[in-house]
Every structure is written in C-alpha cells, then in structure tokens.
Amino acid sequence: MGVFVFLCFVLIHIQAAKTFVVENGFHNGVNVGMYTSQLQAAILSQCMDDFPFANDTDILPVLDPLWTEERKEGHHFQDGFPFILESKGVLNILELKGDYLVDVPLNLPSMFVLKLSGATLKPASNFSAAGFVTSALVLIEKKGFTAILGGTLDAEKSGASAIACVNSHHVQMHAIRASASSQSGYNVVFVQGGEYNEIANCDIGNDVALTGVVTGVILSRTNHALIHDNNIHGLPIHGLMLKDGTTKAAVYSNNIHHNGFDGIQLQGNVQNTYVHNNTCWANKNDGIRAIATNTKVNPKIVMITANVLVGNTRAGITTEAKSLEEGAKPEGVMVADNLAYNNGAGAWNLWNLDEKGIPFVSTPIMVNFVRIYYVLHI
C-alpha cells in the first residue's frame, strides 16, 4: 500500500512538471519581461519550491532510470549526474533565449532546470541582493536537484558572484560561461555547505587578468563535490580553492591557468579529496598547493596525482604549513605521477609532510575509479 501511494505521488508530480520557454521576454506570446524580478514573479512562482521527497533514495530512482542498488553509493562519481538529462517530465524547466538583466538574484527552486540557450544574464543598473543570503546573479539556497545549463553569466559590473550555491544538494552547473568583477570581493562560483554538487564543462574567469580578491571557484564546508573539465583562468587570486572542512571532493581534468596566485589551493582541514589529471600552468604562485593554516587544521588524506604543472611562478606542487610555530602540517598527502617543468622554484616544494605522507613516488601508480571510490567514501 505504501509503495502504491508513493508511486501515485511520483506520477502526480511528474504530471505537474512544467516547461517554460521565454524568448526575448515573451512566453507564449505574452510579455513576461526582461528582468529577473519579472521572471521570478511570472515563471518561477509557478514552480514547486519545496522538496517533495522524503530523502534522496526516494527521488533518485525516479530521476535516474538506470538506477540500481549497486549504484546507490557510487552513481554520483562514476556517472556524473544523469538525472538532469534523463528526467523529462519530472523537473520544471525554464529555457531562456536572449539577453536578460538581473535586478535581483534569480532564486531557483528545487526540482528545477534553468536552461540558457545562448542567453546572457547581466546585472541591471539597479541590481540589489538586499535580503538575500549572499550577492549573486543566480542563487540556489537550501534546494535539491536543481541545474543551470549553458549560457553566459556576466557578473563583471555587479559586485556579486555569478552563481552562489548555499546549503543545497544535487546541484548541477554545466557548460556555463561565468565571469566576475575586479572590485566585487565575491567569487565567480561559490559553493558553501551541501553535498553532491557538480561544476563541469564551464569556462570560469576573465580573458584579461583582474586585480582585486576574486577566486574562480570556492568550495567551503561541502561534501562529495565534483569539479571537472572546466577552464578556469584570469582570476586575481586562485583558480580553485577548497577550504573550511570540504571533504570527499574530486577535482579532475580541469585546465587552470593565468591566475594571480595558486592554480588549485587546498587550505585547512580539507579531507579525503582527490586532485587528478589537472593542467595548471602560468599561475603566479604554485600550480597546486596544500597548506595547513595557523589554527592547527590541516589537509588530510589528499591524493594529488597525474597532474601537469608548467610555467608556474613558484613550484609545480607545494605542501606546507602556514606557521611552523603552530605545528600544523598536511597529513597523509600523496603526491604521485605528476609532470612538472619550467616552474620558477622547481617542480616540487614538498616539506612539512607528516611521516604517513608519501612525498613523491616515481614508480607509476595505477589510479582508477575503484581507488577514487575508496578515497571518496572513507
């Protein structure tokens, strides 16, 4: 009886899912507007905003037709997030065509896809994020199974992030061109809290190097994030930064270059994280750096493998304590099978490693999905 009721509920929700196509401000011949406040009122207000399922194990079999119990733990890594592409009729969809002005953050609901088909979102002259948890062109806060696909998010004149994903889960950010402002103090893409979020195939940064305090992607206090196949470049600080207890992240196959400090930085108590097959080049400090903070918190069980590090101003890879007096240092960090050359301070600057760490292994190590799976699920 319970299964029957659950299936009926799923079918009702599937039937209720809607697709909205807005082209140059018009939906079905009606002018709904070119400002995000107008889109929020006319379109997003019609979409179910509360998360309709009790937990992930209820919704995943509905969204992913290939679901099996064996994939229950590993599907998010080995297969990415198939639910977005295979969930017609389940998720509400807003497809935008044309250029739109952001006067307030576009606040996306759960069970929702924002599809930008060649569309651009730019800040309006009266942009304001007053009353929102953070300043961003697109905001996902406390939501689940939400996606942004394609398009351009141009935050260069906004003093805001392009995307902020806060305390949300199963959020997919794919094939987006995103930029930020020199003076903003915000980061292009900011992920704080939550779990199972993915940033893939995006172009993040600026064509001309900026000044200021902007990082391309920041992961803070989040779990099971996937960051892969992105081009991250031209940021004043880091290309990608993991910090504040981020755990079980996989950072792989990214092209990270021409940033003002580190290409990838793992700071503080980042744990059980895998950094693999990235190309970090022409960054003005290290290609990859794992750094313990002076509050005695430090990276633990981090695998840095098979990366290419070229032409960085300092070292290809550095592992270090920020303050020797504090006694914090990376623990259990494995650095293996990386290729580094033409870096200003040499290939490796591997010091203050815990005795359990493996500073460098010259013998080839087979790193496969089984091993990744193990690291991410410790």
Side-chain angles (χ1 to χ4, degrees):
M1 180 63 180
V3 174
F4 175 75
V5 171
F6 170 69
L7 289 175
C8 287
F9 179 80
V10 170
L11 290 173
I12 290 171
H13 181 72
I14 290 174
Q15 292 169 357
K18 305 177 182 70
T19 296
F20 305 89
V21 179
V22 179
E23 185 167 2
N24 297 320
F26 285 83
H27 171 60
N28 290 338
V30 177
N31 187 358
V32 297
M34 302 293 290
Y35 286 83
T36 51
S37 60
Q38 296 172 316
L39 295 172
Q40 197 84 41
I43 304 294
L44 276 72
S45 62
Q46 300 183 43
C47 300
M48 184 179 293
D49 192 50
D50 58 331
F51 190 61
F53 295 92
N55 53 57
D56 293 353
T57 57
D58 290 339
I59 182 61
L60 284 170
V62 178
L63 295 178
D64 181 2
L66 302 179
W67 178 263
T68 63
E69 284 300 309
E70 288 72 21
R71 285 178 58 175
K72 188 174 183 179
E73 290 297 322
H75 79 284
H76 56 274
F77 187 85
Q78 297 184 20
D79 303 299
F81 293 105
F83 63 84
I84 296 299
L85 300 178
E86 301 173 0
S87 57
K88 293 181 180 178
V90 179
L91 305 182
N92 293 308
I93 299 172
L94 170 59
E95 181 177 358
L96 294 181
K97 300 179 180 180
D99 298 332
Y100 295 83
L101 293 173
V102 181
D103 54 347
V104 296
L106 192 61
N107 195 8
L108 303 186
S110 294
M111 305 287 290
F112 187 86
V113 178
L114 175 63
K115 184 178 180 182
L116 301 176
S117 297
T120 298
L121 296 182
K122 292 184 177 182
S125 59
N126 63 336
F127 170 78
S128 173
F132 290 87
V133 66
T134 189
S135 184
L137 300 190
V138 178
L139 174 63
I140 305 165
E141 182 190 4
K142 297 181 180 178
K143 299 299 185 288
F145 299 99
T146 299
I148 308 170
L149 306 180
T152 298
L153 301 177
D154 181 357
E156 291 186 16
K157 297 180 180 179
S158 67
S161 298
I163 303 171
C165 177
V166 181
N167 296 328
S168 298
H169 64 95
H170 292 91
V171 172
Q172 187 176 49
M173 294 159 269
H174 265 209
I176 301 162
R177 169 75 182 106
S179 59
S181 165
S182 295
Q183 290 77 35
S184 70
Y186 289 88
N187 308 292
V188 184
V189 180
F190 179 53
V191 179
Q192 183 181 65
E195 60 184 358
Y196 300 114
N197 299 310
E198 180 182 36
I199 303 171
N201 302 301
C202 293
D203 183 53
I204 297 170
N206 297 69
D207 293 329
V208 178
L210 301 177
T211 58
V213 288
V214 183
T215 289
V217 177
I218 283 191
L219 303 182
S220 175
R221 302 196 302 273
T222 190
N223 300 320
H224 294 99
L226 301 182
I227 313 297
H228 63 94
D229 297 289
N230 300 290
N231 183 36
I232 305 175
H233 58 95
L235 283 311
I237 309 298
H238 313 300
L240 169 63
M241 184 180 190
L242 293 77
K243 66 174 188 173
D244 297 336
T246 289
T247 63
K248 301 180 182 180
V251 176
Y252 60 98
S253 301
N254 297 287
N255 182 33
I256 302 177
H257 58 97
H258 290 101
N259 297 294
F261 209 71
D262 297 327
I264 299 173
Q265 185 180 104
L266 300 95
Q267 184 187 102
N269 55 336
V270 174
Q271 298 185 31
N272 301 344
T273 288
Y274 187 73
V275 180
H276 175 72
N277 193 40
N278 300 283
T279 300
C280 299
W281 56 284
N283 297 291
K284 292 187 177 180
N285 198 55
D286 295 317
I288 299 173
R289 184 160 69 135
I291 179 172
T293 67
N294 57 7
T295 54
K296 296 186 178 180
V297 293
N298 48 308
K300 296 178 181 178
I301 314 179
V302 174
M303 298 172 65
I304 302 174
T305 61
N307 300 283
V308 177
L309 310 131
V310 183
N312 298 289
T313 301
R314 198 165 78 151
I317 298 176
T318 291
T319 61
E320 64 178 302
K322 189 172 183 179
S323 171
L324 295 178
E325 292 76 19
E326 294 291 337
K329 55 187 176 181
E331 297 180 39
V333 176
M334 185 181 81
V335 179
D337 300 336
N338 299 282
L339 174 63
Y341 58 94
N342 292 340
N343 296 287
W348 325 114
N349 185 16
L350 306 175
W351 54 289
N352 292 318
L353 281 179
D354 185 83
E355 61 274 7
K356 293 181 288 187
I358 306 173
F360 180 71
V361 180
S362 58
T363 304
I365 294 177
M366 181 61 67
V367 179
N368 53 35
F369 281 116
V370 173
R371 188 165 194 169
I372 297 169
Y373 178 88
Y374 172 76
V375 170
L376 294 181
H377 290 81
I378 291 175

